[in-house]
Amino acid sequence: MFKRYTVIVIDKSGRPIKKASVSTNFIRTTILLCFILLSSFCIFGYDYYKIKKEEGFAEFLRSKVSLQTEKIHEQRRQIQAFANQIIALKGHMARLDEFEKQIRILANIEANTNDENYYGIGGSMPDDLLDPNLDLASEHDKLVKNMHEQVVQLQMASNYKEKDLKTLLGILEEQRNILSATPSILPTKGYITSRFGYRRSPFTGRREIHKGIDISNKKGTPIMAAADGVVSFAGARGLFGRIITIDHGHGLVTYYAHLDKILKNEGERVRKGEIIAKMGDTGRTTGAHLHYEVQLNGVPVNPAKYIGK
């Protein structure tokens, strides 16, 4: 049997105004419902809190993913830019190779016989590096691999090119030294009064070989070195009077005879065009002039062969 409770409502004056009868079952049910409602509110409140918290975390993750995605896109753009730089560098290397060939042609130097030239090292450039619309999302790894291979090939190419250019530089320097040491200019101003070859001697009247050329001018006219070299003799020598001889290397020696004054000493290095003496009339001569002679390995040769006169 369920017990019943009487509930009396009293007004302000203390008089009962309403009576109600409530069973214990109703009270228990009401309490249970209140507990269920309170529990449900707490559960829903907690779930709502969790949802809001997860939404905030999800928003944080979305923001972080967005930043990472932008960073990845920026890195991919940089990779593509680097790939384009590699292409440009390979083109520059190819132009440098062509420039070297032109220098060799102009300098009359044998072409480079090294078959391992620039394109021979790595072959043609991969299409990946040439495609400006490459889908980096799907071809990223392949592109990076190709770029690494191209960088290695460029390093090898630059090493070969460095060796080639050093060799070319050595050849050019040797040619420059030979050219500087070649008596290719007239050593003084004046009139050529006697050339190389057979002539009638102004002293004996007989036919004899003239081993150089005679250049006439007034006494004291400056005499220049016809090429770079070292003064091998400076002084008086028989019929030549005062004379300077210059050793230019490669078997070439030049003679400057009948001088009035000698301005250089033996062992002194001189440069092409440098004044070494003054024109005179010492030794056996009919007047002021320079006897200029060129010998190759001890044999007199025509100076015109070098100066084009």
Side-chain angles (χ1 to χ4, degrees), residues 22-57:
V22 180
S23 67
T24 57
N25 186 40
F26 176 78
I27 294 173
R28 289 175 182 173
T29 301
T30 300
I31 293 173
L32 180 60
L33 287 174
C34 290
F35 177 77
I36 291 173
L37 287 173
L38 182 61
S39 298
S40 298
F41 178 78
C42 291
I43 291 172
F44 287 138
Y46 178 71
D47 287 343
Y48 179 78
Y49 169 76
K50 284 183 63 178
I51 290 171
K52 285 296 183 181
K53 185 177 180 180
E54 289 175 357
E55 283 182 353
F57 185 66

Side-chain angles (χ1 to χ4, degrees), residues 83-98 100-101 112 114-126 129-130 149-162 164:
N84 291 331
Q85 289 176 357
I86 290 176
I87 296 170
L89 185 57
K90 292 191 76 169
H92 180 71
M93 289 286 291
R95 290 191 295 273
L96 187 61
D97 186 64
E98 189 63 29
E100 181 194 350
K101 292 177 182 177
N112 182 17
N114 183 9
D115 292 330
E116 301 227 41
N117 56 28
Y118 174 59
Y119 284 105
I121 292 174
S124 61
M125 290 179 280
L129 297 182
L130 296 171
E149 291 175 352
Q150 292 297 306
V151 169
V152 172
Q153 292 166 11
L154 279 170
Q155 182 63 48
M156 294 175 64
S158 65
N159 290 339
Y160 278 114
K161 185 53 60 184
E162 181 181 10
D164 290 343

Side-chain angles (χ1 to χ4, degrees), residues 196-216:
F196 178 88
Y198 284 97
R199 69 172 185 177
R200 187 174 298 280
S201 171
F203 300 100
T204 64
R206 291 180 296 186
R207 190 169 181 266
E208 63 180 16
I209 184 72
H210 187 228
K211 298 179 181 179
I213 60 175
D214 291 340
I215 305 172
S216 296

